[in-house]
Amino acid sequence: MAETSRIGVVLSSGGGRGVYAHTGFLLALEQLGIPISACAGCSAGAIVGGVAASGTSLNVWAQAISAVSQRDFWTPDSLPRVVWQLTARRGRGYTGLSGTGAAISFCRRVLAVQTFAQCRYPFYAVAMSLGRARKEVFSAGELAPRMMASAAIPAFYKPVQIDGDLYCDGALIDLAPMDAICCRHGLDALIVHHVARRHDRTAGVETILGSRWAFAEISARVLFHRRPWYLSDEPLTLRHCPCGCGAVIVVIEPDLPELGWPLTEGGPRVQQAAAAQTLALLQPLADALLTDPRTRLLVQAGEPAGNSAHRAPVCAPGLP
């Protein structure tokens, strides 16, 4: 492998299914011998990305989530408390059904190190600042609360308080935070694993309301309604970095099984599907990725290295 080959990874939001899918994806990269120089994650991607960046063995992490209990990530208030909060207090101060303490504790237990500074490569987690109504990119401080802040779905989870501000799910503002690492770390290639749900736009209101956990379905549609510029209708897409830095964007959008609530059954099947598809898609590109991705990848895919047709004003050298 050329010493100058620097590969970054972006892990998108994707709910509970995304946790298993990103785990399978990273296991496949490990099997292919593709190193990671920097990583950014949003929501589910922040959870998995933080664990991997901390140095926890992916096999250990896979075992942990295969045996995870619902009480490790979901501790909703009792029905009487919810009723009291919404009636007697008229919703004052009530921000979500479940606290985040159990999920943060679970993250702390599986992390190999506890801070961003101790990670084996640069890691970034994206969340939504409620106090400032803007995107926040965490890159310093304690990992676990910031990972969970990125994954705290509004109404389902109470926001996470950090340094006097409240934070919730980064998917509200950025499904896959490419700008956190692409040009900031001089990458030759950036692999985006995008697993946010696609929705049938032809489905009527009756279909949505008739689904199990309709509230969750509505929330998912609000979070994942938009399609980022870098996606196509194919499972594998190659792009140029839109800022012109020369990095190649490799986008994987796998076709995965659904994972219903409470997100503890069927996870290994999602993980295996993500791993298998990643191996099938990246194996033919592995040599180019590891040696000279800037000049070989797009040529190998049949596109001239200088083609700028897919550029868009999205990626910038600095953070917001």
Side-chain angles (χ1 to χ4, degrees), residues 45 63 77 80 94 97 105 107 138 152 176 186 203 213 230 233-234 282 288:
Q63 292 172 4
D77 294 331
Y94 195 64
L97 294 174
S105 295
C107 289
F138 292 119
W213 293 90
Y230 52 78
D233 293 325
E234 301 297 329
L282 290 187

Side-chain angles (χ1 to χ4, degrees), residues 131-154:
R132 289 168 290 168
R134 68 173 223 180
K135 173 180 174 178
E136 181 74 23
V137 182
F138 292 119
S139 60
E142 187 184 357
L143 279 165
R146 289 164 175 80
M147 289 159 55
M148 188 56 208
S150 180
I153 302 172

Side-chain angles (χ1 to χ4, degrees), residues 12-283:
S12 77
S13 58
R17 185 179 73 156
V19 171
Y20 294 98
H22 291 318
T23 301
F25 165 74
L26 291 180
L27 282 167
L29 291 191
E30 190 174 82
Q31 185 174 335
L32 290 170
I34 296 174
I36 298 175
S37 296
C39 176
C42 176
S43 197
I47 299 294
V48 180
V51 170
S54 79
T56 298
S57 161
L58 289 173
N59 288 317
V60 170
W61 166 245
Q63 292 172 4
I65 58 175
S66 69
V68 70
S69 168
Q70 186 174 331
R71 63 178 176 269
D72 286 324
F73 62 87
W74 180 245
T75 53
D77 294 331
S78 65
L79 181 58
R81 178 172 176 78
V82 173
V83 172
W84 178 75
Q85 288 279 3
L86 297 180
T87 55
R89 290 184 54 82
R90 298 184 181 180
R92 292 187 181 89
Y94 195 64
T95 56
L97 294 174
S98 174
T100 57
I104 291 173
S105 295
F106 176 74
C107 289
R108 286 192 179 112
R109 292 197 302 272
V110 297
L111 288 169
V113 298
Q114 298 299 320
T115 68
F116 283 82
Q118 295 172 302
C119 287
R120 56 196 180 116
Y121 46 73
F123 170 66
Y124 302 83
V126 172
M128 172 73 175
S129 164
L130 295 180
R132 289 168 290 168
R134 68 173 223 180
K135 173 180 174 178
E136 181 74 23
V137 182
F138 292 119
S139 60
E142 187 184 357
L143 279 165
R146 289 164 175 80
M147 289 159 55
M148 188 56 208
S150 180
I153 302 172
F156 282 90
Y157 285 102
K158 296 172 174 59
V160 178
Q161 184 168 4
I162 299 172
D163 297 334
D165 199 355
L166 294 175
Y167 296 91
C168 65
D169 200 330
L172 289 167
I173 199 165
D174 194 347
L175 297 179
M178 292 173 48
D179 60 338
I181 60 171
C182 183
C183 308
R184 187 177 177 85
H185 290 285
L187 301 175
D188 297 298
L190 184 67
I191 307 175
V192 180
H193 194 234
H194 188 95
V195 298
R197 290 174 59 189
R198 287 191 183 190
H199 293 285
D200 180 5
R201 296 181 181 273
T202 65
V205 174
E206 295 81 6
T207 301
I208 297 172
L209 296 180
S211 62
R212 293 183 60 190
W213 293 90
F215 182 68
E217 178 65 19
I218 292 170
S219 296
R221 284 175 180 264
V222 170
L223 290 175
F224 306 134
H225 72 281
R226 61 195 184 278
R227 293 272 294 168
W229 66 271
Y230 52 78
L231 295 181
S232 68
D233 293 325
E234 301 297 329
L236 178 70
T237 307
L238 299 180
R239 308 285 201 196
H240 285 287
C241 174
C243 79
C245 71
V248 177
I249 313 296
V250 181
V251 185
I252 295 177
E253 188 180 14
D255 182 14
L256 300 171
E258 289 297 330
L259 186 65
W261 192 260
L263 310 180
T264 54
E265 297 179 6
R269 185 163 53 99
V270 173
Q271 179 181 308
Q272 291 164 11
Q277 290 178 55
T278 299
L279 287 171
L281 292 169
L282 290 187
Q283 183 70 63

